[in-house]
Amino acid sequence: MGTRPAGNWQKLLDAQHGIITTKQMYENGVNKDSIDHCVETGQWLRVFRGVISVTNGPLTREMQLSAALLYAGRGALLSHTTAAEEWGFVPRGDGPVHVTVPYGCSAISRPPTVRHAKQNFTSESNEQIHPGVIVHRSRAMVHIGVETNPARTSTVDTVLDLAVAEPTSGQATITLVSAMSSGGVNVAAMTRKIEARRPMRYLKPILHTLALMRDGVHSPLEHRYVLDVEQAHGLPTGQRQAPVFVDGRQLFEDIRYEICDLIVRLDGQAFHSAKQRRFRDRRRDNAAELRNLPRLVYGWHEVTQDPCGVYGEVREVLVKEGWTDASYSCERCPL
């Protein structure tokens, strides 16, 4: 390079995972000609305009995140799916990096960055330099971030962002319940957040979902059962997480209709440890059998794909056990 970088050069590179801005380079004594030469000869990679990787190999995820934040500018936060990955409540992916910036920031979303056709790369997988950046904007930056490395939105803000970003209110509420469970966000914390930062859409269904969670709905499967089976068809409200003692331990039934002691089990192995769930369900099934209690079991597919069929079976058992039928067909029910 034309001039020797200043002494804090290596510390800066280490802190930013080998990613640096051209402004930082100028401040460390690296001139434009040196930058252009290293990029053109393939020693360095231009990730975005003004953002350089001082290596020429594939960027690690940490490097991709650092590049996105440096591109977005001061105060930018990892958010949405990317923040959820960093918090650990969704699997880490390799897609575009989501960032949130203040209103007035000039950064815009960027498509994936790929190597120039004339540059030689070792494989097709090495063709892409960066998966791209999706930029969101917020007027509440001082309230949504936490001091982490790299900087990102808080767990509760991340959950709310994921829900509000969904294309429909139904998907938003499913995401809300699932992300709150995975991220360890309780109803009280989410309620406080919504009071301080009202979502731009889906407010009513989100508040309704929080009310259901406050009443004992703990999983996306329970949430869909309550909305699409019970409430959509006028079935009585079952007791959520009803306690039952088995082998001297207190376990919980998913839903119990006290009018006839019908137990509805919701098999949510997609959201829980399968081994622990199977053991718990066997013990509860045996206890219910010994007490001669009627039981119905449903999984994600039945509840989400055929809620009307589930309603018909639950209704049949309730009526057979003595419930005075007050249910009705929903708009999805076959004629």
Side-chain angles (χ1 to χ4, degrees):
M1 293 178 290
T3 55
R4 185 178 182 84
N8 65 343
W9 170 264
Q10 192 58 52
K11 290 182 179 179
L12 188 61
L13 290 179
D14 289 344
Q16 297 176 175
H17 302 282
I19 307 295
I20 193 166
T21 66
T22 52
K23 180 181 179 181
Q24 289 172 329
M25 286 186 170
Y26 299 152
E27 292 171 349
N28 279 270
V30 184
N31 61 44
K32 183 178 183 302
D33 289 342
S34 295
I35 297 171
D36 290 343
H37 172 75
C38 288
V39 171
E40 290 169 4
T41 57
Q43 299 175 62
W44 293 350
L45 294 174
R46 194 180 304 280
V47 187
F48 302 111
R49 182 178 180 180
V51 179
I52 302 294
S53 168
V54 296
T55 66
N56 62 3
L59 271 59
T60 65
R61 189 60 172 172
E62 286 76 16
M63 296 170 75
Q64 293 174 359
L65 302 184
S66 181
L69 288 171
L70 288 171
Y71 161 75
R74 174 181 253 176
L77 302 168
L78 300 178
S79 63
H80 296 76
T81 304
T82 309
E85 293 170 2
E86 291 300 293
W87 284 119
F89 55 85
V90 301
R92 177 170 275 205
D94 56 5
V97 178
H98 289 258
V99 298
T100 292
V101 300
Y103 269 87
C105 174
S106 61
I108 60 173
S109 298
R110 301 294 303 175
T113 305
V114 296
R115 294 176 188 264
H116 192 278
K118 293 183 179 180
Q119 292 177 322
N120 295 323
F121 41 89
T122 57
S123 66
E124 289 186 11
S125 63
N126 200 15
E127 179 181 5
Q128 179 175 280
I129 295 175
H130 194 282
V133 182
I134 297 176
V135 175
H136 309 267
R137 302 184 189 281
S138 174
R139 301 184 189 277
M141 296 297 292
V142 296
H143 303 293
I144 65 176
V146 291
E147 294 184 5
T148 56
N149 186 19
R152 56 183 179 261
T153 50
S154 71
T155 52
V156 65
D157 285 289
T158 300
V159 169
L160 187 57
D161 286 340
L162 289 176
V164 174
E166 293 290 0
T168 67
S169 60
Q171 188 58 48
T173 56
I174 292 174
T175 295
L176 182 73
V177 178
S178 179
M180 285 179 65
S181 176
S182 300
V185 175
N186 60 42
V187 174
M190 182 56 71
T191 301
R192 288 194 299 271
K193 176 58 64 175
I194 289 175
E195 289 173 352
R197 178 196 168 204
R198 296 180 82 80
M200 296 183 66
R201 57 179 182 169
Y202 306 144
L203 176 61
K204 187 174 180 179
I206 285 174
L207 292 177
H208 182 215
T209 298
L210 291 177
L212 293 177
M213 295 179 74
R214 200 174 291 114
D215 290 339
V217 171
H218 286 174
S219 73
L221 182 53
E222 293 175 45
H223 176 243
R224 299 320 304 171
Y225 178 89
V226 170
L227 290 185
D228 298 340
V229 178
E230 275 190 0
Q231 295 186 357
H233 297 95
L235 289 175
T237 300
Q239 183 182 3
R240 324 291 176 207
Q241 307 302 319
V244 58
F245 288 88
V246 180
D247 299 336
R249 296 172 55 203
Q250 179 175 271
L251 301 178
F252 297 89
E253 302 288 8
D254 295 322
I255 297 173
R256 183 170 69 196
Y257 294 96
E258 295 181 284
I259 53 177
C260 64
D261 273 333
L262 166 64
I263 294 168
V264 172
R265 298 267 167 78
L266 299 174
D267 184 2
Q269 290 189 26
F271 305 100
H272 302 86
S273 164
K275 183 176 180 181
Q276 293 179 350
R277 181 86 184 202
R278 284 196 300 270
F279 173 77
R280 185 193 71 184
D281 287 350
R282 283 200 305 270
R283 299 305 302 144
R284 290 191 308 176
D285 281 339
N286 291 346
E289 182 66 30
L290 292 171
R291 291 155 59 203
N292 197 31
L293 299 179
R295 304 183 304 285
L296 293 172
V297 181
Y298 302 105
W300 180 259
H301 180 80
E302 298 101 304
V303 171
T304 59
Q305 300 301 312
D306 187 23
C308 302
V310 173
Y311 148 67
E313 293 181 356
V314 174
R315 170 187 172 276
E316 182 177 341
V317 175
L318 288 173
V319 171
K320 184 172 67 176
E321 295 294 324
W323 177 58
T324 301
D325 189 6
S327 66
Y328 42 79
S329 298
C330 76
E331 59 184 16
R332 297 170 59 179
C333 286
L335 297 177

